Amino acid sequence: MFLSRGRVFLGSFLRLNMAQSIVDSMRTASTGTLLVTDHLNYWGGKRVKPRQERNAEPVFEPATGRVLCQMIPCGAEEVDEAIKSAHSAYLKWSKLSGMERARVMLEAARIIRERRDNIAKLEVINNGKSISEALVDIDVAWQSIEYYAGLAGGLAGQHVQLPGGAFAYTRREPLGVCVGIGAWNYPFQIATWKSAPALACGNAMVFKPSPMTPVTAVILAEIYKEAGVPDGLFNVVQGGAETGSLLCHHPMVAKVTFTGSVPTGKKVMEMSAKGVKQVTLELGGKSPLIIFKDCDFENAVKGALMANFLTQGQVCCNGTRVFVQREIMPQFVEEVVKRTKAIPIGDPLLESTRMGALISKPQLEKVLGYVSQAKKEGAKVLCGGEPYVPSDPKLKGGYFMTPCILDNCRDDMTCVKEEIFGPVMSILPFDTEEEVIRRANNTTFGLASGVFTRDISRAHRVAENLEAGTCFINNYNISPVEVPFGGYKMSGFGRENGQVTLEYFSQLKTVIVEMGDVESVF
């Protein structure tokens, strides 16, 4: 079996040298110089030319505003081809042992690790985040594949002894073809978060990236191919809502895993329900970060910055409602404002940059609109919240803004209730633990939360009472692949990362074995 796979691997490697030229070219890439002309669809083990190009949508480089490539959405025939290709690969992949799958996945992790710098650069050009962040994202990606490779060989059921020598056992089996629908804030990382547990369990996946960040998911498909997966095991189809609808409705799809907004998540759930498909939803958030007066002040300030300004604030689990105990409010505000003003904004490919460009012009305008609305409702802008034009001429068309701190906020303000998805921090004072927990939970979201305190009893007590899928104690926005991530309430259900995710990409079969005669009432 593996001699045969080895021959496929060698052939793939020779053929993929040209397909991977875009990754290799990243060594000398700089902002504003890349034009992607390769096909962005991928199934059957190769990039696929779109059937029609009439519905092409321009994809912009966030840092410059120039057109990076054209995204051509897949229609019904193309979606059907990709899913059938995935099903064919699933029939082969699912018959391998967990250890056999693990070897291929470990090779994929090794390739990503080897090419991390170039993949990160491509991610930055397509997404706009700083290179320092993108490098971490790519590390998290290969770690995720490596982690689930380690679990693949341990997938097992149970043995149950029954009366009279009879027994039963359970088998943990794959679901089949899974659909992954990704978001634009972590394009490559989300593709691995969804595909790694799916593949470890023996499934195939058809992945649809965000139409705004279509470039790097295809690189992951080529890496899986190079590592030795069957042709079609991980496919990429491009498109927006219409393509997503075709995927959710397709009768050969067993599961849909979606990352994105609450309104779109509701539609995905509704469409998938018609086929009784399993669904994982990782949706939005408006997470509380609670800072008590007995905190380690330096760590609390750093935590608040990490909770609000990673990826230009475009992170679903960001702690954008920062509750600060009244006694330390003036000191905290002064320090946070000082450090926010000092955040270097500019070319995201420069190592010194800490804040790049927002994903698009409409997103930038939306975030600036929230700041304007906050001022109308009585909030005070302590810093930022304005369009930013870097001095570098090539960045003048980019989607930059200064990170914003809002004071004088109330719980009923729009900026406090709604997910802004931009670099805007709302600071609110509180007095007592009971009060702040009640206010923190007064939201339809429940993705994440955080607390800074030196009181260990209080830390665990608050964590217990916060209605959120994750609670960070004395830190924020760290996402180890070993621990589950997902939401409460309207932030979704199901989990990504951690061992529990294997349960969301597999199903249990019970086998009952009678060792004696059948007892019949007839």
Side-chain angles (χ1 to χ4, degrees):
M1 183 181 295
F2 274 89
L3 284 175
S4 171
R5 189 190 69 77
R7 288 196 292 273
V8 173
F9 169 79
L10 289 173
S12 302
F13 181 75
L14 293 172
R15 190 188 62 77
L16 283 167
N17 277 340
M18 290 185 65
Q20 291 167 354
S21 61
I22 188 171
V23 176
D24 295 336
S25 71
M26 289 297 103
R27 291 191 183 94
T28 56
S30 59
T31 303
T33 62
L34 183 66
L35 181 64
V36 177
T37 57
D38 294 343
H39 303 316
L40 297 175
N41 296 320
Y42 190 99
W43 57 81
K46 62 183 184 297
R47 292 190 185 232
V48 181
K49 181 181 179 180
R51 276 192 169 81
Q52 298 179 344
E53 299 188 8
R54 62 186 179 190
N55 296 321
E57 298 177 13
V59 176
F60 299 97
E61 180 180 16
T64 64
R66 60 186 282 277
V67 174
L68 175 65
C69 64
Q70 296 292 325
M71 190 284 296
I72 302 169
C74 288
E77 290 184 10
E78 292 165 305
V79 166
D80 188 59
E81 275 186 20
I83 290 173
K84 286 178 177 176
S85 174
H87 186 262
S88 177
Y90 156 71
L91 295 177
K92 302 171 186 175
W93 182 252
S94 62
K95 298 304 180 186
L96 298 180
S97 70
M99 286 295 288
E100 289 171 321
R101 294 195 293 266
R103 292 187 194 112
V104 179
M105 293 178 67
L106 287 171
E107 175 65 9
R110 184 199 64 77
I111 295 169
I112 294 171
R113 189 163 59 244
E114 184 181 87
R115 299 174 190 163
R116 71 184 281 267
D117 292 2
N118 292 345
I119 298 171
K121 281 187 177 182
L122 185 58
E123 188 87 317
V124 166
I125 290 170
N126 193 186
N127 168 272
K129 68 173 63 186
S130 68
I131 186 65
S132 60
E133 283 191 48
L135 287 167
V136 175
D137 294 352
I138 306 308
D139 284 339
V140 170
W142 67 254
Q143 288 165 12
S144 179
I145 297 174
E146 196 170 78
Y147 173 74
Y148 284 106
L151 295 179
L155 290 172
Q158 291 179 304
H159 177 276
V160 181
Q161 192 66 45
L162 299 175
F167 65 93
Y169 62 90
T170 58
R171 291 169 48 91
R172 186 162 291 283
E173 298 182 346
L175 300 170
V177 176
C178 300
V179 161
I181 302 177
W184 44 258
N185 53 351
Y186 289 86
F188 193 85
Q189 181 178 302
I190 288 175
T192 59
W193 274 21
K194 295 187 183 303
S195 62
L199 269 55
C201 290
N203 302 289
M205 176 164 279
V206 178
F207 186 79
K208 189 193 81 65
S210 163
M212 288 191 282
T213 52
V215 176
T216 52
V218 197
I219 303 302
L220 178 61
E222 290 176 333
I223 288 172
Y224 277 135
K225 160 80 172 180
E226 186 176 343
V229 306
D231 287 350
L233 192 71
F234 181 81
N235 299 321
V236 178
V237 297
Q238 302 291 345
E242 184 176 342
T243 306
S245 176
L246 291 168
L247 290 165
C248 291
H249 282 119
H250 199 285
M252 292 178 72
V253 170
K255 177 190 174 69
V256 179
T257 170
F258 170 78
T259 298
S261 69
V262 172
T264 306
K266 289 180 180 179
K267 293 176 184 177
V268 167
M269 189 175 177
E270 182 181 357
M271 290 185 291
S272 301
K274 293 178 180 178
V276 197
K277 306 180 197 302
Q278 295 193 34
V279 178
T280 293
L281 298 177
E282 197 276 280
L283 308 178
K286 191 68 182 178
S287 301
L289 173 58
I290 302 171
I291 298 174
F292 287 95
K293 62 183 179 181
D294 67 346
C295 67
D296 180 303
F297 187 79
E298 173 67 15
N299 281 332
V301 170
K302 291 191 293 187
L305 297 174
M306 288 291 288
N308 280 270
F309 298 140
L310 287 177
T311 310
Q312 298 74 248
Q314 301 166 136
V315 181
C316 51
C317 55
N318 268 0
T320 52
R321 293 184 294 149
V322 181
F323 294 94
V324 182
Q325 202 154 24
R326 200 175 301 274
E327 289 88 336
I328 62 168
M329 182 81 165
Q331 179 188 3
F332 178 85
V333 168
E334 180 182 1
E335 189 62 24
V336 163
V337 168
K338 183 178 76 173
R339 298 197 191 188
T340 300
K341 288 180 177 178
I343 294 174
I345 312 168
D347 188 340
L349 280 180
L350 295 180
E351 292 183 4
S352 58
T353 297
R354 288 298 175 267
M355 183 166 289
L358 276 70
I359 188 66
S360 67
K361 187 174 182 181
Q363 181 66 16
L364 172 62
E365 292 171 348
K366 176 184 174 184
V367 175
L368 293 173
Y370 269 110
V371 175
S372 177
Q373 179 67 21
K375 289 192 285 187
K376 290 178 183 176
E377 294 180 12
K380 182 179 180 182
V381 177
L382 299 182
C383 68
E386 299 175 339
Y388 180 79
V389 181
S391 57
D392 188 336
K394 69 184 177 185
L395 305 178
K396 290 192 181 300
Y399 315 129
F400 298 90
M401 70 172 284
T402 49
C404 178
I405 305 291
L406 297 177
D407 192 13
N408 200 37
C409 297
R410 302 184 313 273
D411 293 351
D412 63 347
M413 285 181 170
T414 305
C415 64
V416 177
K417 292 192 299 182
E418 296 185 12
E419 185 176 35
I420 296 174
F421 227 60
V424 181
M425 179 194 302
S426 298
I427 302 180
L428 305 103
F430 75 92
D431 293 301
T432 68
E433 179 182 323
E434 294 75 19
E435 167 213 342
V436 77
I437 289 174
R438 174 181 51 79
R439 293 169 63 194
N441 288 334
N442 185 25
T443 174
T444 58
F445 295 107
L447 189 55
S449 58
V451 55
F452 277 83
T453 177
R454 285 190 174 96
D455 185 333
I456 188 169
S457 297
R458 168 182 279 161
H460 292 291
R461 186 170 61 243
V462 170
E464 177 187 355
N465 285 288
L466 288 172
E467 298 167 354
T470 298
C471 183
F472 301 96
I473 295 177
N474 294 330
N475 207 332
Y476 207 95
N477 267 345
I478 55 172
S479 52
V481 299
E482 301 95 328
V483 298
F485 176 77
Y488 283 14
K489 298 192 277 192
M490 291 184 73
S491 290
F493 54 83
R495 291 295 180 267
E496 294 183 319
N497 295 340
Q499 292 187 38
V500 71
T501 302
L502 297 175
E503 297 180 15
Y504 295 101
F505 283 100
S506 60
Q507 54 194 343
L508 278 180
K509 175 182 288 178
T510 297
V511 180
I512 300 175
V513 182
E514 177 58 64
M515 299 298 288
D517 295 329
V518 174
E519 292 184 9
S520 175
V521 297
F522 302 105

